[in-house]
Amino acid sequence: MSDPGLSTAEARTRLLADGPNRLEHGPRRTIAHMLADQLRNPFVLLLGGAAALAFGLGERVDAVAITVIVVTNAVVGAAQEHRAERALAALASMTAPRARVSRDGRAVVVPADEVVVGDLLLLHPGDLVAADAHLVHATGLALVEAALTGESVPVDKSTAPTPAGAPLAERTDHVFAGTAVAVGTARAVVVATGMRTELGKVAAMLGQARPATTPLQAQLAAVSRALLALCLAVVAVVAAAGLWNGQPWLEVLVSAVALAVAAVPEGLPAVVTIALAVGVQRMAARNVLVRRLPAVETLGCVTTICTDKTGTLTTGEMRVREHWVVPGVTELDLFEAGAACVDAELSEGEGGVGSPTEVAILLAARARGVERAALEARWPRRRERPFDSARKRMSVVRGVDGGEQTFLKGALGFAAEALAPFDPEALAVEEAFAAQGLRVLAVARGAGDEEVGLELLGLVGIADPPRASAVAAIQAAQAAGIRTTMLTGDHAVTARAIAQELGIDAVHARVTPADKLRIVRELTAAGEVVAMTGDGVTDAPAIREAHVGIAMGLAGTEVTREAASVVLADDHFASIVEGVREGRTIHENIRKTVLYLVAGNGAELALVLAAGVIGLPVPLLPTHLLWVNLVTDGLPALALVVDPPDRDAMAVPPRPPRQPLLGPAEWRLIVLSSLVESAVVLAAYVLAEPGVDPARARTVAFCTLVVSELLRAFAFRSVGRVLPEVGAFGNAGLLAVVGVSLGLQVAITEWPWARGVFHLCALSTLEWAGVFAAALVPVTVLEVGKLVRRLFHARTPA
């Protein structure tokens, strides 16, 4: 060995000066961080304020109940995220655990984190490169750099210098940390370690990328602010009216607490968390693993999918996609000769060991009944001339029928000097194959042991083929109004060819990790909801920055999985479309559940406000309102939020990213529902004569509100379709919940202990009949309103 490398003492000194050859990690999210994130939810903060107010005014039952809800919701959400979280040492695992270097003139194996600048790396097939290094000697060297550059085929390396400032994928005189040696051997001097490597620069960008706020988080925050403003306004009006009417301070304060409880949909945080958790389970059944709960819903409003090519849209494995044989030559001759000129070997299944290009040739040969082992036995190998970047070809001399023959494969332009005159059609075929983004190899054979006068048998075109499922998935995404954009580090010709096959019209080729991050940021700034998918290190920063980061679970690197909020267990792009379908269903279910809950809270606010303004005693106590919000509204909401998917979920474009969860049409429906329901309950309260028997009047009002809320849940299963169209039995859970809730409502008016807690009295059969008759009014108005709106729209000219 001409270069003895560093001395052990010098290596130790440099290690102390530069630090270990490892990548730095930011702090991981702990259970405490996850709980804190859950508690920062705007609705949870609103609930906390209501609990504090109730506690301050002595309503401790209400305060404790709300606190239990807040804590339970936070624990459920944090536990779900913790189960999905993977304690991965992601980027560090991409580096080689051990490295072969020259120290003190001897080849030694050292831990990868002890490699220092100036070390001489000794590289062999299968090795992971431990650090960035400059080649000083290379023989037939090619590296797999797909994870770092996106290059779909092994990259030939040599000591020939490359221009300063050349793109990473074109620095063929360097090897980089985290890449793997496909074929050949080399010696290389380390020039960068740890965070100073190209892999380290990606790690630094990953640390700077910040997950975007999801649309659902922003929409729920807006609803929370609206409810808070409404609550404060109504509390002020009721307090002023109470004082104006001469009500005692204590009664005014009780009314204030009642309003605070009425205004806050206590069950909403739990409903949203459960909706997302159920979505996680549904997606897991479709091989979509969710690591961050909000990502479940965010998938449903994605407008653009940015995707890597290699390993995501394609299989990530090289295959012979086209071939051409010289007239008079058979396919068997072509692939038999090709298989005779390889060093790779097939393993069990569809893979192999060695150059991916040679594995592709062996697989094509196997499909035609040719096995390398049989060839080796029939035509024993005598010697070979290995591939190198200057010759762009390799040949193997074998014993055939008592003599010797030479088998050759390589680029046609470089192999031509070893060939006998050949059909000029080969040049046109080569050009056509290359235009399709294929790597084209000529295969030849001839007598003797020299690369002279060999007969050209044909050409093979090799590429990483598209996944069959990706074509249909991209078409489904387009039908759903979602644009797919390809971001790849591969050559433009290869990228465009694959994009054309897949039906993608937006292609960015030869992009760097920084380019991908920039493109995602530009799309986000333009108002797009972006999903970024990929499997390589180059994709990780952009995946982290996108609204939804999606990593491949099988072929993906651990750094990519760590950066993502969603992992595809089967690596199928098609699973993303299923995730979008589920996300849209979840968003629609959350929207109609929020609509149902807010309309209920609006009715409670209107009821208490109207009673205060006209000088009636408080119709509902804080305990009544808490029961309505948690049991009467909360249980049906849990059933609504897991309603079956709408059959048209993927037949409409994504909702606009800035569209609020509750738009003008939804607020009009809330106002209508709230006014009708509060008017019905107030009428029942007045007819029950609160001045004569306040407890009985409150019981009538309380039961009328409860039954009305339960029946109203059926109207909110769909904003536009009436119950027979939706299917009265389409949500068995809702039917069960309504039945159980009605039973509980009757029970608390019949059990003496419960009557004492809620300050109620027993109702007669006739009074219960009146309660149910009144409670049918709101749901009937809402269902008839759907038919009226439909008739109006049908008569309105387009």
Side-chain angles (χ1 to χ4, degrees):
M1 185 180 297
S2 58
D3 189 338
L6 298 177
S7 67
T8 300
E10 177 62 22
R12 189 179 301 114
T13 300
R14 295 189 182 191
L15 183 62
L16 291 173
D18 297 339
N21 177 36
R22 65 170 70 110
L23 301 177
E24 299 171 1
H25 297 274
R28 293 191 180 278
R29 295 175 76 234
T30 64
I31 288 289
H33 290 134
M34 294 176 190
L35 282 170
D37 287 343
Q38 294 291 326
L39 293 173
R40 279 194 289 267
N41 181 297
F43 272 112
V44 171
L45 296 177
L46 200 56
L47 283 175
L53 180 59
F55 186 82
L57 294 175
E59 300 292 337
R60 299 193 177 183
V61 173
D62 297 344
V64 170
I66 295 174
T67 302
V68 168
I69 294 164
V70 169
V71 172
T72 301
N73 176 72
V75 170
V76 169
Q80 185 67 42
E81 288 196 0
H82 181 64
R83 282 197 296 270
E85 187 69 30
R86 298 291 183 265
L88 302 174
L91 283 164
S93 70
M94 284 283 308
T95 59
R98 304 185 71 80
R100 188 181 292 106
V101 299
S102 177
R103 295 267 178 90
D104 301 315
R106 294 181 298 107
V108 295
V109 176
V110 299
D113 59 6
E114 293 181 8
V115 171
V116 298
V117 172
D119 258 330
L120 184 67
L121 295 178
L122 309 177
L123 301 175
H124 296 82
D127 286 352
L128 280 177
V129 180
D132 291 2
H134 178 260
L135 290 169
V136 294
H137 177 78
T139 302
L141 184 67
L143 271 77
V144 177
E145 295 185 338
L148 186 61
T149 67
E151 186 77 47
S152 59
V153 298
V155 179
D156 297 332
K157 299 286 184 174
S158 73
T159 57
T162 55
L168 184 65
E170 297 174 10
R171 298 180 204 167
T172 53
D173 59 343
H174 282 72
V175 293
F176 301 102
T179 62
V181 178
V183 293
T185 60
R187 297 196 300 274
V189 176
V190 172
V191 296
T193 61
M195 294 298 291
R196 292 173 292 277
T197 63
E198 295 298 328
L199 188 61
K201 294 174 184 176
V202 176
M205 281 191 288
L206 182 58
Q208 295 164 5
R210 292 292 177 265
T213 300
T214 69
L216 180 63
Q217 290 169 330
Q219 291 166 350
L220 288 176
V223 173
S224 178
R225 289 191 295 270
L227 287 178
L228 180 59
L230 181 62
C231 175
L232 293 175
V234 174
V235 165
V237 171
V238 169
L243 294 174
W244 178 264
N245 292 326
Q247 290 180 332
W249 273 98
L250 183 60
E251 190 170 333
V252 172
L253 287 175
V254 170
S255 298
V257 174
L259 281 172
V261 173
V264 180
E266 285 86 355
L268 185 55
V271 164
V272 172
T273 299
I274 289 172
L276 298 180
V278 169
V280 167
Q281 301 306 317
R282 287 179 178 174
M283 287 188 177
R286 294 176 170 85
N287 294 306
V288 181
L289 308 180
V290 179
R291 301 178 66 239
R292 298 285 186 273
L293 279 183
V296 179
E297 180 274 339
T298 310
L299 266 174
C301 56
V302 163
T303 59
T304 298
I305 299 175
C306 294
T307 175
D308 178 45
K309 176 183 71 68
T310 307
T312 305
L313 296 173
T314 64
T315 64
E317 299 172 344
M318 305 301 290
R319 294 290 184 269
V320 174
R321 305 204 61 205
E322 297 284 353
H323 67 276
W324 171 81
V325 292
V326 172
V329 177
T330 66
E331 273 190 20
L332 182 62
D333 292 333
L334 174 67
F335 287 102
E336 197 172 51
C341 189
V342 299
D343 292 321
E345 295 183 7
L346 294 183
S347 54
E348 295 295 326
E350 292 294 308
V353 179
S355 164
T357 300
E358 293 188 344
V359 169
I361 292 173
L362 288 177
L363 286 172
R366 172 176 283 179
R368 293 160 176 82
V370 178
E371 294 287 344
R372 181 183 168 185
L375 284 180
E376 295 291 346
R378 184 156 55 105
W379 298 337
R381 178 182 296 222
R382 301 287 172 80
R383 52 195 169 276
E384 67 180 68
R385 297 179 182 87
F387 175 91
D388 67 51
S389 56
R391 292 175 359 104
K392 297 288 186 182
R393 66 180 188 263
M394 76 166 287
S395 62
V396 175
V397 178
R398 295 183 176 276
V400 179
D401 298 332
E404 289 185 337
Q405 289 192 13
T406 297
F407 298 84
L408 177 145
K409 73 176 190 306
L412 182 58
F414 287 83
E417 63 188 41
L419 302 178
F422 56 85
D423 189 335
E425 184 185 354
L427 297 174
V429 172
E430 180 192 37
E431 185 176 347
F433 283 1
Q436 298 175 42
L438 304 180
R439 184 178 192 181
V440 187
L441 294 178
V443 178
R445 175 181 181 177
D449 62 354
E450 296 295 331
E451 292 182 353
V452 176
L454 304 181
E455 177 191 2
L456 178 66
L457 303 178
L459 304 174
V460 292
I462 298 172
D464 178 13
R467 294 180 184 273
S469 59
V471 179
I474 289 170
Q475 290 174 348
Q478 289 172 342
I482 302 170
R483 184 179 66 168
T484 303
T485 299
M486 181 189 292
L487 309 180
T488 179
D490 210 344
H491 291 282
V493 172
T494 304
R496 283 195 295 268
I498 294 294
Q500 186 174 4
E501 283 191 71
L502 293 169
I504 296 175
D505 56 8
V507 180
H508 299 269
R510 275 299 192 227
V511 294
T512 65
D515 292 330
K516 293 183 180 182
L517 187 59
R518 174 182 52 78
I519 291 169
V520 168
R521 284 176 173 169
E522 288 174 353
L523 288 169
T524 301
E528 300 285 334
V529 178
V530 181
M532 174 70 199
T533 75
D535 65 342
V537 177
T538 58
D539 306 314
I543 281 176
R544 178 70 175 274
E545 185 84 13
H547 291 96
V548 186
I550 305 172
M552 299 295 147
L554 297 177
T557 60
E558 290 187 26
V559 57
T560 314
R561 292 196 293 268
E562 177 68 17
S565 52
V566 173
V567 177
L568 303 183
D570 57 3
D571 282 12
H572 286 179
F573 186 86
S575 297
I576 299 174
V577 176
E578 291 303 315
V580 170
R581 184 191 307 277
E582 189 63 41
R584 290 187 174 188
T585 298
I586 289 168
H587 183 274
E588 177 58 24
N589 285 348
I590 289 176
R591 188 183 69 88
K592 67 189 181 188
T593 302
V594 171
L595 194 59
Y596 168 73
L597 290 174
V598 174
N601 286 100
E604 296 162 27
L605 280 172
L607 174 63
V608 177
L609 175 61
V613 169
I614 63 179
L616 291 174
V618 179
L620 297 172
L621 299 176
T623 310
H624 299 160
L625 292 168
L626 194 61
W627 174 270
V628 171
N629 287 355
L630 294 182
V631 179
T632 307
D633 288 352
L635 293 180
L638 293 178
L640 279 176
V641 86
V642 293
D643 225 12
D646 191 307
R647 61 178 180 270
D648 298 325
M650 295 297 287
V652 295
R655 63 188 182 277
R658 293 184 176 87
Q659 176 180 303
L661 191 65
L662 302 179
E666 288 77 18
W667 281 112
R668 286 194 295 270
L669 179 59
I670 288 171
V671 170
L672 171 65
S673 178
S674 300
L675 290 178
V676 171
E677 192 166 40
S678 61
V680 167
V681 176
L682 184 62
Y685 179 57
V686 171
L687 291 173
E689 300 181 323
V692 177
D693 190 346
R696 182 168 299 279
R698 281 195 180 116
T699 303
V700 169
F702 180 37
C703 291
T704 303
L705 179 63
V706 165
V707 178
S708 174
E709 290 286 289
L710 292 173
L711 297 179
R712 190 171 57 82
F714 292 101
F716 277 80
R717 284 194 61 200
S718 172
V719 175
R721 291 184 290 169
V722 295
L723 186 60
E725 295 170 335
V726 176
F729 301 99
N731 189 331
L734 181 59
L735 291 170
V737 160
V738 168
V740 169
S741 297
L742 286 173
L744 289 174
Q745 187 64 26
V746 172
I748 65 172
T749 62
E750 295 297 325
W751 292 345
W753 174 84
R755 285 204 303 265
V757 171
F758 287 92
H759 307 288
L760 302 173
C761 63
L763 298 180
S764 67
T765 303
L766 184 60
E767 287 171 322
W768 272 114
V771 164
F772 274 90
L776 280 169
V777 173
V779 66
T780 302
V781 170
L782 291 172
E783 290 291 272
V784 171
K786 295 176 185 178
L787 298 176
V788 171
R789 287 195 303 274
R790 186 183 303 174
L791 183 62
F792 175 77
H793 288 305
R795 291 184 174 181
T796 302

